Amino acid sequence: MATKWGICSAGKISHDFVVALKTLSAEDHQVVAVAARNLQHAQDFAKIFGIPRAYGNYEELAKDPEIDVVYIGSIHPCHLQLGELFMNSRKNVLCEKPLAMNSREVELLVTAARKNQVFLMEAVWTRFFPASLEISRLLALGVVGEVKMVKADFGFPLRHVPRAVEKELGGGALLDIGIYGLQFACMVYQGEKPESIQATGVCLDTGVDEAMVLVLTFSGNRMAVIICSVAVELPNDATIIGTKGVIKIPSHMWSPTSLIVNGKETQYPLPEPSVPLNFINSTGMRYEAEEVRQCLLTGLKESSRMSLADSHLLADIMDEARRQVGVVYEQDTH
């Protein structure tokens, strides 16, 4: 039986997610409905992809009996409300990152998932790329010895993009793109809670972070340094440095298609998209979609590779980093 998807929000990331689904077998994945706040947007989206049903509000999507799982591609501040809407309608959910605006909201979403006994996963697509799976395998084998340092950066000039800089839209470098470097460090250190979090950054006049640097220390004198910026393009790579070697992830560390392990490079190409993408390497979202399907087929309510505890950890670290830099969202004041 195919996993039947409902798409919540007809924006750019939802477009790319459906393109990614199209690279998988139609026997395994089908998009049966899309919803947007504007019915015309939903209908236009449905027409592009041949989706049977289009809704002009999210409540109708929640009531659609045919849907197995909803992909939430809306802006971050909407994730809590929409996540609760779908899970309270007994729908499984794959929600774009960040899962919510802060740790308190993440807790509310996890509570809703458990109460309704549905699957919930934060769409940290990077974790499911073949290159990322290979990193975990190599680390388990001790190929670089004991990891002592992780470095990751992600920066892109996004100050002209409202959702990246406006506070009410959930803007800010950390929540939008810094989360990729952070999740990478957490993946390498296998979900261990850092012993210390030090953050410094600079803020735009909108009150959100334009750039931030996080320094995390872990047990055993291990560290991670994460840099993010919405002002400039950074090298956008990541490095894992151990006592016996180095794993380097070249540019586009958030959607990796090659690894350099102790100087030797291996390519992990992605399928070609059937229509143009909004973001680079977006067909790589196919891997998180397949993870969702495999979890649903086996009755799991969360993914072991991107668990709800992993989402909690990301939110906790980001909350503390924002506290140190002085970035406060309306959602933090409840």
Side-chain angles (χ1 to χ4, degrees):
M1 289 285 288
T3 299
K4 292 184 165 59
W5 291 86
I7 306 297
C8 166
S9 178
K12 290 180 178 178
I13 195 73
S14 293
H15 172 280
D16 284 13
F17 183 74
V18 176
V19 176
L21 284 179
K22 297 277 188 189
T23 69
L24 295 162
S25 166
E27 291 176 7
D28 291 345
H29 296 269
Q30 290 173 11
V31 180
V32 296
V34 58
R37 283 172 305 194
N38 179 308
L39 179 59
Q40 189 63 54
H41 289 168
Q43 288 171 336
D44 292 346
F45 189 99
K47 195 172 172 186
I48 293 168
F49 294 110
I51 299 168
R53 294 187 291 288
Y55 300 121
N57 64 69
Y58 299 130
E59 288 73 21
E60 286 181 89
L61 187 68
K63 289 179 192 147
D64 188 321
E66 205 186 342
I67 291 168
D68 298 318
V69 55
V70 175
Y71 168 78
I72 299 176
S74 64
I75 56 171
H76 331 326
C78 300
H79 289 177
L80 174 62
Q81 180 193 357
L82 292 172
E84 288 184 330
L85 169 69
F86 294 119
M87 289 189 288
N88 288 336
S89 300
R90 300 289 197 276
K91 297 283 188 273
N92 300 298
V93 167
L94 173 65
C95 181
E96 257 317 322
K97 55 86 217 147
L99 185 56
M101 292 298 293
N102 54 35
S103 192
R104 181 188 67 85
E105 289 196 347
V106 166
E107 183 58 48
L108 290 169
L109 284 170
V110 171
T111 299
R114 297 206 163 126
K115 182 184 82 176
N116 293 295
Q117 297 185 305
V118 292
F119 176 89
L120 172 63
M121 188 176 94
E122 183 174 8
V124 180
W125 63 318
T126 316
R127 286 232 173 157
F128 303 96
F129 275 62
S132 297
L133 298 179
E134 180 63 4
I135 288 168
S136 294
R137 191 184 75 83
L138 293 170
L139 293 177
L141 290 173
V143 166
V144 295
E146 185 194 357
V147 175
K148 299 294 281 183
M149 181 66 72
V150 175
K151 297 194 316 185
D153 60 59
F154 188 169
F156 224 78
L158 297 170
R159 284 187 300 192
H160 62 289
V161 180
R163 65 163 189 80
V165 297
E166 298 296 337
K167 185 180 276 193
E168 60 273 20
L169 300 180
L174 181 63
L175 259 60
D176 192 35
I177 57 180
I179 188 171
Y180 284 111
L182 180 56
Q183 77 79 25
F184 181 78
C186 291
M187 179 188 84
V188 172
Y189 290 131
Q190 297 183 320
E192 184 180 317
K193 192 177 178 186
E195 291 183 343
S196 83
I197 300 162
Q198 290 174 292
T200 186
V202 289
C203 291
L204 294 161
D205 55 14
T206 56
V208 304
D209 49 309
E210 176 185 272
M212 208 182 280
V213 179
L214 269 70
V215 179
L216 310 177
T217 57
F218 295 84
S219 64
N221 293 340
R222 297 169 302 149
M223 297 186 75
V225 180
I226 296 133
I227 305 172
C228 58
S229 172
V230 291
V232 291
E233 186 167 353
L234 294 173
N236 295 332
D237 55 12
T239 312
I240 302 166
I241 304 156
T243 51
K244 294 180 185 170
V246 175
I247 299 173
K248 190 169 175 66
I249 299 89
S251 184
H252 311 314
M253 58 75 58
W254 65 92
S255 54
T257 53
S258 70
L259 290 182
I260 303 168
V261 182
N262 295 332
K264 183 172 180 287
E265 185 163 9
T266 307
Q267 301 287 335
Y268 299 86
L270 298 171
E272 286 299 312
S274 53
V275 295
L277 296 165
N278 293 298
F279 305 105
I280 192 158
N281 291 349
S282 281
T283 54
M285 286 194 278
R286 71 200 304 265
Y287 304 113
E288 65 179 0
E290 183 57 27
E291 172 75 5
V292 172
R293 173 171 165 78
Q294 293 306 320
C295 288
L296 295 181
L297 287 174
T298 50
L300 294 173
K301 302 303 179 198
E302 59 182 297
S303 162
S304 60
R305 180 111 183 126
M306 186 62 214
S307 68
L308 298 176
D310 290 328
S311 292
H312 260 303
L313 179 61
L314 286 179
D316 286 344
I317 296 171
M318 291 193 296
D319 282 2
E320 175 58 22
R322 288 194 297 107
R323 187 190 67 76
Q324 292 181 24
V325 175
V327 177
V328 181
Y329 297 106
E330 191 238 328
Q331 292 85 353
D332 300 322
T333 58
H334 294 314

